[in-house]
Amino acid sequence: MAETVLQVNQLRVCVEEKEILHGINLTIGTGETHVLMGPNGAGKSTLGYALMGNPRYAVTGGSIWFRGKDMTEEAVDKRAKEGLFLSFQNPLEVPGLSLGSFIRGALEQRRGTRIKPWEFRKELNQAMALLQMEESYAQRDLNVGFSGGEKKKAEILQLLMMKPDLAVLDETDSGLDVDAVRTVSRGVEAFQREKDRSLLIITHSTRILEALHVDYTHIMVDGRIVKTGDASLVEEINEKGFEEYLHA
């Protein structure tokens, strides 16, 4: 049995005094890939933001344990240093800070030590080659002028470089064409092959899942997880949609 990396107990989350999540329980083991699916507005992204500690998403009940530590009240940077990663649906643009500098700074914070420039460039270039990104992207301002596909590739590049213990991918394939989905999936698959790396993939589509091994699938409706199953549940949703769960 896999060692537990994330334990969510009866989590309740409010946004502007409106409760969005109503007692979520979720356990993710080391090296496992979990998929969270559901219709738009189900609360999937809210769970991702709450796990990462976004202050807009107020935890009003329950707890979040990560690698045996209570993270319920911890700040975002503390969670990131501990090995939790969240990709965004709409990554922010940061003028004046290059993609390469951002990743290097974050990586040094994660490792707690300085990284030699040549070692960093070698590691970065290898990851960029996997994602079919030109090396010049490292010098561009973070996400500024990037297309939707380029932003998502930059997010997966950060994932491959940071090597978090648990990565939460929020609608990573949203708005991407077929070729971009294939490239991003290749990056996620490479991360999945890393030893002891766990994934929580939040999506209402299944395109990004086609090349990935999935251990558990969860269906969320109206802020509650209404069903948990294995990878076959993804195929069921592909065939039947979410209709039968909307009034569960």
Side-chain angles (χ1 to χ4, degrees):
M1 186 175 181
E3 180 182 352
T4 298
V5 66
L6 178 73
Q7 182 73 54
V8 178
N9 302 310
Q10 287 296 312
L11 188 68
R12 293 181 175 273
V13 175
C14 288
V15 178
E16 297 177 353
E17 300 185 357
K18 179 182 179 181
E19 186 169 276
I20 306 297
L21 300 183
H22 315 294
I24 297 296
N25 292 304
L26 179 65
T27 301
I28 298 178
T30 300
E32 292 180 349
T33 294
H34 290 236
V35 173
L36 180 64
M37 303 183 71
N40 290 331
K44 305 184 301 296
S45 294
T46 295
L47 177 59
Y49 286 123
L51 292 178
M52 201 67 218
N54 187 320
R56 182 169 179 262
Y57 298 79
V59 174
T60 56
S63 60
I64 300 169
W65 289 75
F66 183 66
R67 296 175 62 212
K69 299 178 182 178
D70 188 352
M71 290 286 161
T72 313
E73 302 296 333
E74 295 289 357
V76 174
D77 62 334
K78 170 71 172 178
R79 302 183 198 211
K81 288 178 183 178
E82 287 291 334
L84 187 59
F85 175 95
L86 173 66
S87 74
F88 299 96
Q89 288 189 46
N90 300 298
L92 295 174
E93 297 184 2
V94 185
L97 176 65
S98 72
L99 173 61
S101 295
F102 172 76
I103 293 176
R104 184 178 177 185
L107 197 54
E108 289 179 339
Q109 287 290 318
R110 169 93 164 106
R111 295 179 180 177
T113 185
R114 299 283 291 176
I115 304 173
K116 294 179 181 179
W118 67 270
E119 290 180 348
F120 173 74
R121 284 196 300 271
K122 179 181 178 181
E123 192 174 344
L124 183 66
N125 290 343
Q126 288 175 342
M128 294 180 79
L130 177 67
L131 296 172
Q132 299 178 339
M133 298 177 71
E134 295 182 7
E135 294 180 8
S136 60
Y137 276 99
Q139 280 71 56
R140 292 176 60 180
D141 286 0
L142 181 60
N143 293 325
V144 176
F146 283 25
S147 68
E150 289 169 342
K151 288 181 178 180
K152 297 301 176 71
K153 285 184 182 181
E155 292 272 284
I156 301 303
L157 177 64
Q158 295 166 44
L159 170 70
L160 293 174
M161 292 295 292
M162 296 296 293
K163 295 179 170 57
D165 296 310
L166 172 63
V168 181
L169 307 183
D170 187 10
E171 304 286 4
T172 301
D173 55 348
S174 176
L176 301 183
D177 61 28
V178 173
D179 290 335
V181 169
R182 193 173 293 123
T183 300
V184 167
S185 295
R186 190 182 306 121
V188 177
E189 189 177 6
F191 174 79
Q192 192 181 51
R193 288 195 300 266
E194 293 270 354
K195 183 180 179 182
D196 296 337
R197 306 299 175 190
S198 304
L199 279 165
L200 174 59
I201 302 174
I202 299 172
T203 183
H204 63 266
S205 173
T206 59
R207 293 186 304 167
I208 198 172
L209 305 177
E210 292 175 0
L212 302 178
H213 169 77
V214 173
D215 296 293
Y216 296 96
T217 306
H218 312 276
I219 306 299
M220 178 179 280
V221 176
D222 293 333
R224 295 179 174 86
I225 293 178
V226 298
K227 184 169 183 178
T228 293
D230 57 20
S232 65
L233 188 52
V234 173
E235 297 304 319
E236 180 184 317
I237 295 302
N238 268 339
E239 294 177 8
K240 302 178 181 178
F242 300 109
E243 184 64 32
E244 69 176 282
Y245 301 107
L246 296 182
H247 306 291

